[in-house]
Amino acid sequence: MTQMEMARKGVVSDEMKKVAEYEGVDVEIVRQKLAEGRAVLPKNKLHRIERPMIVGEGFSVKVNANIGTSQGFSSLEEEKEKARVAIEYGADSLMVLSTWGDLREIRRAIVEMSPVPVGSVPIYDSAVRSYQMKKNVVDFSEKDFFDMVIAHAEDGIDFMTIHVGVTRRVLDRIKSSRRVLKIVSRGGAIIAGWMIKNNKENPFYEHFDELLDIAKDYDITLSLGDGMRPGAVVDASDAQQFEELFVMGELVERAREKGVQVMLEGPGHVPLNEVEMNVRLMKKIGKGAPIFLLGPLPTDRAMGYDHIACAIGGALAGYYGADFLCYVTPSEHISLPDVEDVREGVIASKIAAIVADVARGNKKAWELEKKMALARKNFDWETMFSLSLGKDVAKKKYEERPYPDKGCSMCGPFCAIKIAEEFS
Amino acid sequence: MTQMEMARKGVVSDEMKKVAEYEGVDVEIVRQKLAEGRAVLPKNKLHRIERPMIVGEGFSVKVNANIGTSQGFSSLEEEKEKARVAIEYGADSLMVLSTWGDLREIRRAIVEMSPVPVGSVPIYDSAVRSYQMKKNVVDFSEKDFFDMVIAHAEDGIDFMTIHVGVTRRVLDRIKSSRRVLKIVSRGGAIIAGWMIKNNKENPFYEHFDELLDIAKDYDITLSLGDGMRPGAVVDASDAQQFEELFVMGELVERAREKGVQVMLEGPGHVPLNEVEMNVRLMKKIGKGAPIFLLGPLPTDRAMGYDHIACAIGGALAGYYGADFLCYVTPSEHISLPDVEDVREGVIASKIAAIVADVARGNKKAWELEKKMALARKNFDWETMFSLSLGKDVAKKKYEERPYPDKGCSMCGPFCAIKIAEEFS
């Protein structure tokens, strides 16, 4: 049984208990949200997960960190280090998005070591194999689509991005689209290219039931990928994006009917004034399914600092109901991230998630804010550092520019808290 | 005449022309907003400013960078370097908030070198002088309040933070306040301490007309400081904060009557769900006067990364109408920022300002977004870097992990833009 099926039958799994404890809520709430499909608990039956997560309505906002190789940068050791650092700084899940080296070896190694759920985009493997065989990146068979999904499922992958909304009908519209950047989703472009080259429907869409059967067997959570997401603020929130969303909306119902856990992926690049609308529309069309956002970036001019732009968009999206934020690193749009980028990306997205939790009135988040305020009042630096998402970074800064008395070198003897203390 | 008086008399100053050109608007709009007090153009008559700024309704969101020494870290050279870096990365103004060394020498040096307006908090000087004379930091005379304002005006300071809303009545309320942190404003604490020690009203409030006369003589823009701003998310948006705001609201009218330019400072620490309310309330009570925000930080758990928390709060505040964002550096709440902190702080706040500009439909901001999207489509890296706020940071990253073909090392041969190009 999938977690969803168990929940529907009133069975409380160990994972449900664990996430209920982590969230500080009654397990009955967890069970109910899973049964309704308003939350997902990604966990492949073959994967032992120490720290499972629940993603969805009423729960804390989660953060995903993408890792993975690319041509020229395909060290397994570096990817393992990225995974370790991402988890250390609070990533709730990892996605292994390798496009170079021995993809299966890397994927298995990460699944093996990861205490959190691991996701992937199986179609990448087909494209990479074709390219490595000196063929065009979209030169693979219809069967490959599903073979790769099964291979990833066998490797213990917990959730998979499937660009199933890239249908003939949706692709057709792109011809008249006035977007500056037509397609910026890697998986979306691969599938679109395959469809055009072969003059065929998207196999994931055409044989969606087959996909659901595989997902059900392993309890893979399907993450309906947004292959048509806008790739620039100027392209945001267009018909292309939303027509794909409407396809996803239909498929959410079909997945739920089969007891398969499902969530929706969303943009991407969205000006801040359209974030609320995007999130609400996704929740409406997706029948309350959890939302997994790639960003959103509310400006394209933050290159080198896209993690900050992403934190701005993600925090607001989270406040309006996005459940799961995919981090962006300082290297986004520039190069493959290194370990340091991963750390900075995770911290920025965790800040966004916590800002959203606080804004949504999450009890646990407020308790920690209160502890921080008290630690500040008491000049209790160790507690402050331990409550900080940057932990050692904050501590290192403090030690680099110390102040010998109570307080810090920002204000020295002119610390407002000290002066206020003296006169009240 | 002040810029406001000129505007009211239909006189168009050189500075008005310059800012109109920068904003890409008709100078008549500038003149009108200045006349109404819905915008300010901070410029001391004694200060030659190459790049004046207009702050207020309908104009692009501006960013201020605080620099200045503290005990143990009082190198003039370092402060000059901070100023240089802040301006290089796009700060629209500087505030010199030194609390150690020869304050006047540092202030004059920064005013001298700065192509942008410079602000200060004159009361710091009184406190520092007392402390350096081995007296209590609040041990100075009523006359000192105004002497320091005049001294700063003589030094060419363009805008000054005056904590005039810290009245006896407002302070009285703090006794029953349940805040964790009673006062976190340095200037606010100094004035409150002085008032309690001397059992007197706030001289800036009691003799506000005298202050206005000085401001008018030099055309100092008064920035009504929020000495009662909350210092933690858990303390946000309380009666203490708003009663001070109500005092400021009255004083805005008195300043306008005298032709003195005035803006309002605001918090501070605000959960994201209260940002809109705070900004709208400030605009309402302040009769549309420009708003200068210190943050706001929507979580207190981002120590070491407070610039990111600040960018989140600032972007949203800017979208809702805040006009002027005071940056926060990664060292906020930890230590005095160094040059690197200043750079990171300015970039983060500029991102927030641009995100707000885009969300508010600023034409110039949208044109630049469009250029960036086109540069991405064309793989025009030099244009991308030049449009990026991080400029050299992005370029350096690109060169560190290069990809030998069109595209970048993120996706290598699997670049969505390239695949989409091939099949469309």
Side-chain angles (χ1 to χ4, degrees), chain B residues 59-71:
Chain B
F59 303 110
S60 61
V61 176
K62 304 300 185 297
V63 166
N64 173 71
N66 290 342
I67 60 171
T69 57
S70 75
Q71 194 178 14

Side-chain angles (χ1 to χ4, degrees), chain B residues 329-395:
Chain B
T329 79
S331 279
E332 185 76 14
H333 298 109
I334 302 176
S335 62
L336 192 77
D338 61 17
V339 174
E340 179 63 15
D341 287 323
V342 167
R343 190 181 70 156
E344 296 298 301
V346 169
I347 291 173
S349 277
K350 283 296 283 188
I351 291 172
I354 280 169
V355 166
D357 284 343
V358 168
R360 283 157 70 152
N362 182 290
K363 238 175 147 176
K364 202 171 142 189
W366 276 91
E367 277 162 23
L368 294 171
E369 293 290 333
K370 181 124 198 214
K371 276 189 187 166
M372 180 58 109
L374 284 167
R376 288 223 163 115
K377 180 188 169 74
N378 299 324
F379 297 97
D380 175 358
W381 292 95
E382 287 307 322
T383 301
M384 284 187 245
F385 299 141
S386 75
L387 288 167
S388 297
L389 299 163
K391 299 175 205 292
D392 47 328
V393 177
K395 188 168 185 173

Side-chain angles (χ1 to χ4, degrees), chain A residues 284-331:
Chain A
K284 170 72 187 174
I285 299 295
K287 283 101 184 159
I291 300 179
F292 183 20
L293 288 191
L294 318 174
L297 298 176
T299 176
D300 289 316
R301 293 182 54 217
M303 271 175 93
Y305 294 85
D306 270 341
H307 60 308
I308 295 182
C310 177
I312 295 172
L316 194 61
Y319 169 49
Y320 285 123
D323 308 286
F324 194 17
L325 305 177
C326 187
Y327 87 162
V328 150
T329 79
S331 278

Side-chain angles (χ1 to χ4, degrees), chain A residues 69-71 73 78 82 99-100 127-128 131 136-138 180-186 189-190 193 196-197 231-234 269 271-273 298-309 311-312 315-316 319-320 330-338 341 343-344 347-348 351-352 354-355 358-359 365-366 368-370 372-374 376-377 381 384-385 387-391 393-394 397-398 400-403 408-417 419-420 422-424, chain B residues 69-71 73 78 82 99-100 127-128 131 136-138 180-186 189-190 193 196-197 231-234 269 271-273 298-309 311-312 315-316 319-320 330-338 341 343-344 347-348 351-352 354-355 358-360 365-366 368-370 372-374 376-377 381 384-385 387-391 393-394 397-398 400-403 408-417 419-420 422-424:
Chain A
T69 57
S70 74
Q71 194 178 14
F73 304 92
E78 189 180 359
K82 285 185 195 172
T99 58
W100 210 251
V128 172
Y131 183 84
N136 188 293
V137 293
V138 303
V180 177
L181 294 158
K182 301 265 183 189
I183 305 184
V184 297
S185 155
R186 204 155 51 171
I190 292 166
I196 292 167
K197 183 163 181 287
V233 162
V234 293
H269 299 244
L272 209 65
N273 56 313
T299 176
D300 289 316
R301 293 182 54 217
M303 271 175 93
Y305 294 85
D306 270 341
H307 60 308
I308 295 182
I312 295 172
L316 194 61
Y319 169 49
Y320 285 123
S331 278
E332 185 76 14
H333 299 109
I334 302 176
S335 62
L336 193 77
D338 61 17
D341 287 322
R343 190 181 70 156
E344 296 298 300
I347 291 173
I351 291 172
I354 280 168
V355 166
V358 168
W366 276 91
L368 294 170
E369 293 290 333
K370 180 121 198 216
M372 180 59 109
L374 284 167
R376 287 223 163 115
K377 180 188 169 73
W381 292 95
M384 285 187 243
F385 299 141
L387 288 168
S388 297
L389 298 163
K391 298 175 205 292
V393 177
K397 270 189 173 299
Y398 178 71
E400 269 168 17
R401 293 202 146 199
Y403 178 67
C408 78
S409 63
M410 180 73 167
C411 301
F414 309 100
C415 171
I417 299 176
I419 298 172
E422 188 182 341
F423 289 97
S424 64
Chain B
T69 57
S70 75
Q71 194 178 14
F73 304 92
E78 188 180 0
K82 285 184 194 172
T99 58
W100 210 251
V128 172
Y131 183 83
N136 188 293
V137 294
V138 304
V180 177
L181 294 158
K182 301 265 182 188
I183 305 184
V184 297
S185 155
R186 204 155 51 172
I190 292 166
I196 292 167
K197 184 164 181 287
V233 162
V234 293
H269 300 244
L272 209 64
N273 56 313
T299 175
D300 290 316
R301 293 182 54 216
M303 271 175 94
Y305 293 85
D306 269 342
H307 60 308
I308 295 182
I312 295 172
L316 194 61
Y319 169 49
Y320 286 122
S331 279
E332 185 76 14
H333 298 109
I334 302 176
S335 62
L336 192 77
D338 61 17
D341 287 323
R343 190 181 70 156
E344 296 298 301
I347 291 173
I351 291 172
I354 280 169
V355 166
V358 168
R360 283 157 70 152
W366 276 91
L368 294 171
E369 293 290 333
K370 181 124 198 214
M372 180 58 109
L374 284 167
R376 288 223 163 115
K377 180 188 169 74
W381 292 95
M384 284 187 245
F385 299 141
L387 288 167
S388 297
L389 299 163
K391 299 175 205 292
V393 177
K397 271 190 174 297
Y398 178 71
E400 269 168 16
R401 293 202 145 196
Y403 178 67
C408 78
S409 64
M410 180 73 166
C411 301
F414 310 100
C415 171
I417 299 177
I419 297 173
E422 188 182 340
F423 289 97
S424 64

